[in-house]
Amino acid sequence: GAAIDRVHARMGEWLRPGRTEAEVGADITAAIVAEGHTAAEFVIVGSGPNGASPHHDVSDRVIQAGDVVVVDIGGPIPEGYNSDCTRTYSVGEPADAEVREAYAVLQEAQRRAVETVRPGATAAAIDAAARDTLADAGLAELFIHRTGHGIGLDVHEEPYLMGGNDLPLEPGMAFSVEPGVYRSGRWGARIEDIVVVTADGVEPLNTRPHELTVLPA
């Protein structure tokens, strides 16, 4: 978690207008390996309308001033365990006036979901904490995937944080908490931390700020 946080901390070196998503992704890949990972298992750089696709990769789209950019990155360390962390950036002030308000709700949804994690809480309850916050703001239809997935020796494993999963959480479980909002054809945003259930609550393994990070345009 600390290693992938250090890569996110350097995003201002690479993410700027005139560069393609693929060029930024290549720099991120090199940094992930330099931080001690054996590989970059996935590098998502979703700029502008590409950010509205949760499972975007990278493309030859040229990043523009005003773009909101979703950066979701991770991979294995030599011991076999995986990192996975998403932060959302804006290249200059967001061009879309809706972004700031919606992002504030997303940040609150992610915070509430993490705070709900504790032994005995169900996987579905964590999903509901995020989903209900977005729904209260009229953004429910923009959250189009589950709230999280287990992570360890596999990037995606149980437990899955989604409606209908009444599995009680137990100390030692590790999983992502990653609500998002996705405005098709325009922009997207996601905030993802890996957290671990403790004996009496939760410990986040990613500690980078959750605010929308505005980079120079």
Side-chain angles (χ1 to χ4, degrees), residues 119-177:
T122 65
I126 315 308
D127 180 82
R131 206 166 295 278
D132 291 351
T133 303
L134 291 164
D136 288 346
L139 300 174
E141 75 280 2
L142 302 186
F143 182 18
I144 54 177
H145 56 74
R146 64 196 174 204
T147 293
H149 58 85
I151 188 169
L153 296 175
D154 291 322
V155 177
H156 296 94
E157 59 187 42
E158 295 182 347
Y160 294 102
L161 307 185
M162 55 192 297
N165 185 0
D166 294 326
L167 177 73
L169 301 180
E170 300 177 15
M173 285 182 172
F175 45 79
S176 67
V177 179

Side-chain angles (χ1 to χ4, degrees), residues 53-110:
S53 174
H55 303 293
H56 182 68
D57 188 2
V58 296
S59 75
D60 289 330
R61 183 182 184 274
V62 177
I63 295 163
Q64 303 169 31
D67 277 351
V68 176
V69 185
V70 178
V71 178
D72 184 347
I73 56 177
I77 60 173
E79 293 84 352
Y81 290 94
N82 284 274
S83 64
D84 187 1
C85 182
T86 306
R87 291 294 184 266
T88 301
Y89 301 87
S90 180
V91 183
E93 187 62 23
D96 194 313
E98 179 192 23
V99 170
R100 285 282 189 184
E101 184 176 354
Y103 190 89
V105 178
L106 174 63
Q107 192 174 338
E108 178 69 6
Q110 203 265 352

Side-chain angles (χ1 to χ4, degrees), residues 193-206:
D193 293 326
I194 301 302
V195 305
V196 175
V197 183
T198 64
D200 57 359
V202 61
E203 179 185 359
L205 300 186
N206 300 109

